[in-house]
Amino acid sequence: MPDVMSSSRLIGVGVGPGDPELVTVKGVNALRAADVVVVPVMDSGERGRAEATVLHYVPEEKVVRVVFALNERTDRGRREAAWDAAGERVAALLAAHSAVAFATIGDPNVYSTFTYLAQTIAETVPGTVVETVPGITAMQDLAARSGAVLTEGTEPLTLVPVTAGAQALKDALAGPGTVVAYKFGRQAQEVAEALRETGRIDDAVWGSALGLPEESVRPAADLDGGPLPYLSTLIAPARRDGGRGGKL
């Protein structure tokens, strides 16, 4: 792709974990103010959560679907080819429009596809102004729906994508503070074993499809090793003793 100069804006907008009511006012305004709104879709073509959420706020004719290899974990060449193709598509949109929004579930700076797109655009379309609008994350939504407290006092918070392997989760669970696991649906059995081995299963909670009709929020002790949705989230709260304010 040849380098072109741009004075356009690319805005990564976090649209939350799925519940349309959890898009911020600033996020809605950014989506509506943009000339077009890009939504990532898998190469299988089904509508994703970002697209479904965006359609609550902007008309369908303003939405541009761009294919990303969102579920590609093993073939790096195929994954990067998809990123390059998506970058070319968005670069063409930036050439034609002054403001292009990219909707991403959760927050654009937390394990988001937007990161890769922004890097590609920075290299191929110099002069593009890249901005982000923060979004509510799945761990915040799950905490609210389950009553789990993420942090108190001086407790640390560790966020682990289980796509990195169950050992990374075990290491985090052996440490202090609250541990949050993302994308653990395909390794639910290993996650349950790690929670039991570290004695942290009793207070842990998991959730999927938060804010959607198929929502599930359940104690982690109910994990039986059966398959779960890929975008499942787990909270294992810190071990807390000493009563109110004990961690101050």
Side-chain angles (χ1 to χ4, degrees):
M1 189 193 325
D3 284 357
V4 294
M5 288 298 294
S6 170
S7 58
S8 297
R9 293 162 60 231
L10 175 64
I11 309 108
V13 181
V15 296
D19 184 344
E21 292 186 340
L22 290 181
V23 185
T24 67
V25 174
K26 185 168 185 176
V28 171
N29 288 341
L31 294 172
R32 289 177 172 166
D35 300 305
V36 294
V37 179
V38 174
V39 294
V41 296
M42 290 193 292
D43 47 13
S44 52
E46 70 261 28
R47 177 173 291 171
R49 287 191 200 176
E51 181 178 6
T53 303
V54 164
L55 290 174
H56 282 264
Y57 297 106
V58 301
E60 192 164 5
E61 57 267 25
K62 187 173 170 175
V63 175
V64 177
R65 308 174 94 230
V66 174
V67 173
F68 282 76
L70 299 175
N71 55 348
E72 181 58 69
R73 299 281 165 193
T74 55
D75 189 334
R76 177 168 183 158
R78 179 174 174 272
R79 186 172 66 236
E80 296 205 350
W83 290 345
D84 289 341
E88 289 184 13
R89 184 83 171 88
V90 173
L93 292 171
L94 287 164
H97 301 284
S98 61
V100 175
F102 181 93
T104 177
I105 59 170
D107 181 277
N109 293 304
V110 180
Y111 299 129
S112 169
T113 308
F114 180 73
T115 304
Y116 313 122
L117 176 64
Q119 290 173 353
T120 302
I121 293 300
E123 293 168 0
T124 58
V125 193
T128 301
V129 176
V130 177
E131 304 170 2
T132 57
V133 177
I136 292 171
T137 61
M139 65 177 169
Q140 291 169 291
D141 196 10
L142 179 57
R145 294 177 190 277
S146 67
V149 175
L150 286 170
T151 55
E152 288 185 1
T154 58
E155 294 170 351
L157 174 66
T158 304
L159 176 58
V160 179
V162 182
T163 48
Q167 187 58 49
L169 177 62
K170 288 181 182 179
D171 292 343
L173 288 168
T178 293
V179 176
V180 175
Y182 272 5
K183 304 177 182 178
F184 77 90
R186 294 174 185 165
Q187 293 176 270
Q189 175 100 29
E190 293 94 326
V191 167
E193 290 172 0
L195 287 165
R196 290 190 178 96
E197 286 176 17
T198 54
R200 300 188 65 168
I201 197 163
D202 290 339
D203 296 327
V205 61
W206 72 269
S208 63
L210 302 173
L212 302 175
E214 63 272 29
E215 173 184 299
S216 180
V217 176
R218 300 177 61 187
D222 289 355
L223 287 170
D224 58 7
L228 297 176
Y230 171 65
L231 289 176
S232 294
T233 299
L234 173 94
I235 298 175
R239 299 179 178 91
R240 296 185 177 113
D241 47 27
R244 184 175 65 181
K247 292 299 181 77
L248 292 174

